[in-house]
Amino acid sequence: MKLCYSALSPFVRKVRVTAIEHDLMGKIEIVDSDHSDMFKGINPANPLGKVPSLTLANGETLFDSYVICEYLDSIGSGPSLFPEKGPERWKVLTLHAMANGMTDAAYQRRMDSLMPEGEGSPSWSNRLKLAMESSLDEMEKQAEGYGDTVNIGTIAVGCALGYHDFRFSHEQWRNGRPKLAAWYERFAARPSMAQTVPA
Ligand SMILES: N[C@@H](CCC(=O)N[C@@H](CS)C(=O)NCC(=O)O)C(=O)O
């Protein structure tokens, strides 16, 4: 399998963490994305131009990170990261959606800040910041319930917080969110998280 990759992408990180948790990295070949022109997209294997994508042995390409993580979960060893059915499944998938949405808001804010002079939108950036802060507040309320559970929801939360630290450390999300901070400290020590820290 070929994973189109960018070392700093939080969405690629989530895929890598999933692959490591399932002992699949040995079966994945890393393909670099093309950053020569940011306005043309960085991954020709994906019509959306984004990473990650995963090209299978039969030539089919999967995207985006939601689909790739579920695919890896279906072929990997060890306990599933996606509850099969019932209320727990919807709870975990909704957590995944919130954390991935927070990461997407952070990524879009970062891209807005890189736009040529006069092309960014401070009002829309503030809307994205609000989405990030509201998600962090919701995570703080939930954090005790995360416990030591490893599933696609908690992995997505870990990657969202890691990206926040990487790009928005000056906003200090830990302030006023002690339960989430304590949970993240434990979760970030997992080998799958420690091996994929953006550098
Ligand atoms: N919803 C997608 C988001 C993927 C995404 O936004 N990837 C960024 C890198 S972090 C990207 O490829 N950006 C390049 C572009 O949009 O041109 C997922 O979950 O995989």
Side-chain angles (χ1 to χ4, degrees):
M1 297 179 279
K2 292 185 181 171
L3 175 67
C4 188
Y5 166 95
S6 171
L8 305 181
S9 165
F11 306 102
V12 173
R13 184 181 189 194
K14 191 179 61 179
V15 166
R16 289 164 70 210
V17 170
T18 300
I20 293 168
E21 292 288 346
H22 276 312
D23 200 17
L24 283 169
M25 278 313 283
K27 296 190 173 156
I28 294 178
E29 184 187 332
I30 297 293
V31 178
D32 274 329
S33 43
D34 173 6
H35 291 256
S36 55
D37 181 349
M38 72 183 278
F39 293 108
K40 289 197 168 147
I42 62 174
N43 178 10
N46 175 352
L48 301 172
K50 293 172 183 274
V51 294
S53 69
L54 185 73
T55 302
L56 309 181
N58 66 6
E60 286 228 14
T61 296
L62 307 183
F63 54 87
D64 57 8
S65 65
Y66 286 93
V67 179
I68 299 171
C69 289
E70 193 154 2
Y71 174 74
L72 293 177
D73 192 69
S74 76
I75 62 166
S77 56
S80 175
L81 302 169
F82 289 74
E84 205 184 321
K85 55 186 172 185
E88 191 57 19
R89 175 168 171 82
W90 308 119
K91 193 173 155 189
V92 168
L93 293 188
T94 301
L95 181 59
H96 185 186
M98 177 171 69
N100 216 68
M102 174 180 140
T103 306
D104 201 42
Y107 175 71
Q108 297 302 333
R109 259 182 87 196
R110 154 109 181 131
M111 295 315 287
D112 189 75
S113 75
L114 299 179
M115 287 303 115
E117 185 74 28
E119 288 188 19
S121 165
S123 316
W124 192 245
S125 248
N126 281 337
R127 166 72 186 88
L128 297 172
K129 185 169 186 235
L130 179 65
M132 289 167 66
E133 286 171 351
S134 302
S135 300
L136 286 166
D137 290 342
E138 182 60 28
M139 288 170 188
E140 171 67 11
K141 283 188 209 148
Q142 299 180 358
E144 277 177 326
Y146 299 163
D148 291 323
T149 307
V150 183
N151 60 37
I152 196 59
T154 53
I155 288 173
V157 171
C159 293
L161 298 176
Y163 188 65
H164 203 300
D165 277 345
F166 182 55
R167 294 293 189 203
F168 295 91
S169 59
H170 54 282
E171 290 180 7
Q172 304 194 353
W173 64 263
R174 289 170 181 78
N175 285 353
R177 300 186 185 98
K179 293 172 189 162
L180 187 59
W183 172 83
Y184 181 62
E185 199 174 327
R186 287 198 313 279
F187 195 80
R190 292 188 69 75
S192 58
M193 290 292 290
Q195 286 166 31
T196 55
V197 176

